[in-house]
Amino acid sequence: MIAVVAIIAALSMFQPAAVDQGGAEPETVSELLAASWASATNDPGRSSELAERALTLARAEGDRLGEARALNRMGVAAYLQRDYPTAYPMVAESLRLARLEGDDDDIANALNNLGVLHYMWGSLDRALDYYQQALEIRRDQGDNQGLARAYNNLGGVADAAERYDEAVDYFNRALTLYRKEGDDALAANTMNNLGQALMQMGRLDEARELFSDAYGTAGRVGDEATLATAEENLGRMRLAQGEASQARELFERSLERRQRLEDPLGTATSLIHLATADADLGDDAGAERILLQALDSVRELQVPQLERDIHQNLAELRERRGDFKGAIESLQRYHEIHARMISDAGSRRLAELNAMFEMEKKNAEISRLNQDRIIQRNYLTGLVGATMLLGIVVVLLWSRNRIQTRAARVIADKNTELSRAHDELDRASRAEIAHLARVTSLGEMTAAVAHELNQPLAAILTNAQLAAAMIPDESDDGQELEATISDITLGARRAWELLHNLRNLARRGEFERRPIDLRAVLEQAVEIARAEARLHEVSISLDQPDDELLVDGDPVLLQQVVLNLLQNSIAAVTDQEDNEISRTVAVTAKTGAETVTVSVEDSGPGVDDEVLANLFRPFFTTREGGLGMGLAISKRLVEAHDGRIWARRPGVGGLLVTFELPIAGTTSAE
């Protein structure tokens, strides 16, 4: 069947070289991965355990490529156990690590696996995208086997989408490559796929010839699974031509092979085909008995899709036999399973979205805190050097005091002054060291949870699109659900871009610049901040010119600057004790000869001189529970855009924060 073959092809992932262990327990990363691969099909649980040991060892050794491969293996094991929500983030993280290492084989394998998972979820567009990316890598490598698998998978997606012309083209390409490589087993599989696509197009003679070739080739190479599939396909051809007896014989042979192979899913599929033949022969009672047998197998396998479809077939059989009570029961079970599938999938995906969003926020915090720790370590090194230099000066002065007795009083006075300075510097050093210890502890604590939250926000966008695809077309609430999911997608995309760009800026001091209209940035920031402002009864106004405010920069980072200023202003206005004073925040933008200026003014209580002088210093805050990083980050982002930022008191109360940026084209991008 198309879906089954696509899955089989997808499991041809990274396969470690065989390791001769002489019966010993595997110990190295390579040995553990090889053993995990060997047990994947027959014992997925054991395969997952071995891959997890390989992951722990690879991390201890700093082997990032081994870590990527171990995660891939764990994803495959979870997939084989039908734990798709667990499989997806593992394979996604494997793809991220493989890209960091630049290993094309592992990148293509992870892309292929993500395509399989989306295929299983019915997200055909996403599956197609991943398969095409894998295809390009295999084509660049000149890997005919990998290229053939990619074509086979693309054919499966096209067939599922009922684009049979495309499916035939892809399967023909895969078949040509498999024959060129002399891989008869996979060539036979592809013949089955191609024949099914041709059968859907009504080209029955060509389909029959391919099924016969697949049967003969599979028999020659001893591939029992492909023989069983070919027999099922030939049986379907017979059934379509009204030859139900001959079809039943073929289905019985296929069933016997599936049972010998101990393939429960294939056995259930063969039973369903056999029941179809019996129904065509007029033996509705026999067909119902076989469907009930298949139903027991499917329940043990926990495959709700097949269980749902079997109940639908049972309902039709029972209605034809006049067993209306049984038909009603089967139809009710059909609807219950279908509703549960939709509900479970939606709940699972919402949980994944929340987890991955929190993970990306923690990743950004880790990057920022690591950068601050480096800066403060350098500061501490300079401070220690200055202290040592001061100690040397004190020793020299003390020696001079013994030699030059006539200047004793002068030297004593100087030593007293230097001692006071040393004490003040020492107190400052202790305060800075204590502060650094707090920051370091925060970084270590954040790093401890980062492992649990290290899945990419890309999965949020993927699963939101998947949720949108699951909304029934005829649903009355469809438009409202689509709007809600669209909001989730936009919010996740903005969070991902912001954290990604902040991480790049913190690590390398670089970000992508392009000409942007600052008006759109201000409008979006004000719209986001208005939700919080309404909660505190604060009014936000925006005054900007009709003409474009063009600057060179990153819109996500500049939007964060404006949001930080708005959040500080809202908090200041909310803290205003005099309820008679209006709670307002005014955002004003204007352009000059060479710069664009943006100001944020609030009607809060204002600040004193000491606070004003330290306003942009990291970790300085007057708010209880505040981190003191918002304005410091804003200053850093503005300066990274070749701009400047300052604050002043506009009058008796309130605070006016202003930043200006060069007009687009007046500075070079970094």
Side-chain angles (χ1 to χ4, degrees), residues 609-625:
D609 291 340
E610 181 183 357
V611 173
L612 192 62
N614 292 284
L615 207 56
F616 297 99
R617 186 164 64 86
F619 303 105
F620 177 81
T621 181
T622 60
R623 195 182 313 146
E624 183 178 354

Side-chain angles (χ1 to χ4, degrees), residues 3 101 149 164 260 264 418 456 474 496 649:
E101 291 298 301
R149 284 198 300 272
Y164 300 118
R260 284 200 303 271
L418 288 171
E474 63 275 12
W496 184 89
R649 291 189 292 270

Side-chain angles (χ1 to χ4, degrees), residues 549-567:
L549 301 176
L550 292 178
V551 298
D552 287 322
D554 185 307
V556 177
L557 296 181
L558 291 177
Q559 185 183 92
Q560 189 60 39
V561 171
V562 181
L563 278 173
N564 286 347
L565 300 183
L566 286 170
Q567 288 169 352

